[in-house]
């Protein structure tokens, strides 16, 4: 069985590793013992030297070739092509557990300090934004289109806003349609921005086919693929924030009842003031508020 995964620019190591692992599990369920061939591509994820960043390199070398290699017959990545010298194992673990080394490595966002957390450690010292074409090339797009819904035209969206310390480096830009640009969070954490793009892409994936040829739409509908997300039920501002906290950050109904809201609101406003921004003259968005609530709760819980 051929398994293909394109590590999108908005996927970090953890999201990609879990998705690939689930694909291998599914392949084993569908065709027990069949030889499995993994093909991995990578969008973006370039470091300042032009090579692959930590997430992409770790996914290719440590995860696919290291941990997952025993459960595959052959692996193709942008860095190498490797064939398993032994017989492919089929006793996959039921659960993938990812542990981070206790060596001071910089994983995740430090909620206690509220720093700026860009992806690029040494951004290019440029004063003007890159062209849409340059951003599309970095993102691995042949034609500039919204990363969420594939619609056009697109706008250049800062991952970390300039007013929060974001740079003009090409790695600090996404391409979004005006509607999704207006929804995207303005926060100090690049990975949270990309996590939101990933969440919105999954949420709005039926919109990708709205501009497809009628013949393709017909074939997709015959296969049960939805075309367009349709009208969403209108929500109040806080209801929309609550929905995003549950859908993106994993909050449960219980989290909304046991929380000390007086303390949470105090921390929330500190986060909102110190680590979020506004997009031009637009008031702070649902996605920005959801991130701030989540960071405030992490600060109260002492979670790093």
């Amino acid at each position: 069985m051929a398994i293909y995964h394109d590590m999108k620019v908005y996927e970090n190591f953890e999201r990609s590793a879990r998705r690939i692992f689930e694909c291998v599990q599914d392949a084993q369920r569908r065709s027990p013992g069949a030889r499995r061939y993994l093909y991995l591509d990578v969008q973006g994820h370039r470091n300042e030297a032009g090579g692959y960043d930590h997430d992409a390199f770790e996914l290719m070398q440590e995860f696919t070739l290291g941990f997952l290699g025993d459960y595959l017959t052959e692996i193709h990545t942008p860095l190498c092509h490797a064939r398993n010298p032994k017989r492919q194992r089929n006793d996959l673990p039921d659960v993938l557990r990812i542990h981070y080394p206790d060596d001071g490595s910089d994983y995740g966002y430090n909620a206690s300090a509220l720093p700026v957390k860009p992806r690029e450690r040494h951004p290019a010292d440029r004063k003007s934004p890159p062209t849409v074409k340059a951003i599309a090339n970095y993102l691995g797009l042949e034609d500039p289109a919204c990363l969420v819904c594939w619609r056009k035209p697109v706008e250049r969206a800062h991952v970390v806003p300039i007013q929060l310390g974001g740079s003009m480096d090409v790695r600090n830009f996404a391409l979004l349609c005006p509607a999704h640009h207006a929804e995207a969070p303005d926060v100090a954490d690049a990975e949270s921005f990309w996590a939101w793009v990933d969440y919105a892409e999954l949420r709005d994936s039926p919109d990708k086919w709205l501009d497809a040829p009628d013949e393709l739409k017909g074939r997709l509908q015959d296969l049960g693929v939805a075309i367009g997300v349709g009208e969403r039920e209108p929500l109040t501002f806080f209801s929309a924030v609550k929905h995003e906290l549950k859908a993106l950050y994993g909050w449960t109904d219980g989290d909304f009842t046991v929380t000390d809201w007086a303390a949470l609101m105090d921390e929330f406003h500190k986060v909102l003031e110190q680590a979020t921004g506004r997009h031009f003259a637009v008031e702070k968005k649902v996605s920005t508020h959801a991130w701030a609530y989540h960071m405030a709760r992490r600060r109260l819980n002492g979670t790093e």
Side-chain angles (χ1 to χ4, degrees):
M1 292 192 71
I3 301 168
Y4 175 75
H5 182 77
D6 188 2
M7 184 186 191
K8 306 293 188 184
V9 70
Y10 45 75
E11 291 182 310
N12 61 8
F13 167 81
E14 184 172 348
R15 288 193 290 276
S16 289
R18 292 192 187 283
R19 286 167 179 170
I20 294 171
F21 182 73
E22 289 169 1
C23 287
V24 176
Q25 282 186 317
D26 185 60
Q28 172 63 13
R29 283 192 296 268
R30 290 171 179 264
S31 300
R35 288 179 292 180
R36 292 182 287 270
Y37 298 80
L38 175 66
Y39 298 86
L40 175 65
D41 281 337
V42 178
Q43 283 186 7
H45 285 285
R46 295 288 179 171
N47 59 25
E48 50 272 10
Y52 288 105
D53 66 13
H54 181 273
D55 277 0
F57 188 81
E58 186 176 17
L59 186 75
M60 289 186 277
Q61 297 296 112
E62 302 299 329
F63 182 69
T64 58
L65 290 177
F67 166 74
L68 206 57
D70 287 344
Y71 306 102
L72 300 166
T73 291
E74 199 165 291
I75 297 172
H76 297 255
T77 78
L79 290 179
C80 72
H81 164 210
R83 188 172 181 85
N84 191 344
K86 304 176 184 178
R87 183 182 294 273
Q88 170 187 286
R89 291 176 56 181
N90 297 306
D91 55 336
L92 280 85
D94 293 329
V95 178
L96 176 67
R97 292 184 173 87
I98 297 175
H99 302 281
Y100 299 110
D102 188 18
D103 60 0
S105 300
D106 189 16
Y107 291 98
Y109 185 81
N110 185 350
S112 64
L114 294 179
V116 174
K117 181 70 180 295
R119 263 193 182 173
E120 72 278 8
R121 294 181 182 273
H122 304 288
D125 186 22
R126 58 178 296 154
K127 304 300 182 185
S128 59
T131 64
V132 168
K133 182 61 177 175
I135 299 169
N137 288 340
Y138 172 73
L139 297 175
L141 303 175
E142 293 184 4
D143 192 27
C146 177
L147 288 172
V148 173
C149 65
W150 297 355
R151 308 297 296 276
K152 303 172 186 176
V154 294
E155 298 176 349
R156 294 174 290 192
H158 281 93
V159 175
V160 175
I162 292 295
Q163 67 266 35
L164 294 177
S167 73
M168 291 293 185
D169 191 290
V170 69
R171 292 166 293 172
N172 193 45
F173 283 88
L175 294 178
L176 299 174
C177 67
H180 285 113
H181 195 181
E183 287 187 52
D186 299 309
V187 299
D189 179 19
E191 288 303 333
S192 289
F193 174 94
W194 289 119
W196 182 89
V197 172
D198 190 22
Y199 151 76
E201 191 271 338
L202 291 171
R203 182 194 67 185
D204 297 345
S205 57
D207 278 354
K208 291 179 176 179
W209 309 113
L210 286 173
D211 295 331
D214 290 339
E215 181 182 351
L216 176 56
K217 285 182 180 178
R219 292 203 303 269
L220 290 170
Q221 288 174 326
D222 289 342
L223 293 170
V225 176
I227 307 295
V229 296
E231 292 294 326
R232 292 196 185 96
E233 180 182 352
L235 298 173
T236 64
F237 187 85
F238 184 71
S239 292
V241 171
K242 182 178 179 180
H243 174 81
E244 194 153 305
L245 284 169
K246 295 170 74 173
L248 178 55
Y249 297 108
W251 284 39
T252 65
D253 288 331
D255 292 321
F256 292 94
T257 58
V258 302
T259 299
D260 181 345
W261 280 95
L264 181 66
M265 290 302 295
D266 186 50
E267 287 298 327
F268 164 76
H269 285 290
K270 290 178 184 176
V271 175
L272 207 63
E273 178 66 26
Q274 297 176 37
T276 72
R278 297 187 181 192
H279 185 67
F280 302 112
V282 179
E283 288 297 320
K284 292 188 179 180
K285 309 166 189 173
V286 165
S287 58
T288 302
H289 276 70
W291 181 83
Y293 275 114
H294 186 59
M295 288 301 118
R297 191 180 70 160
R298 287 181 57 188
R299 285 164 64 87
L300 289 177
N301 294 342
T303 303
E304 295 305 326

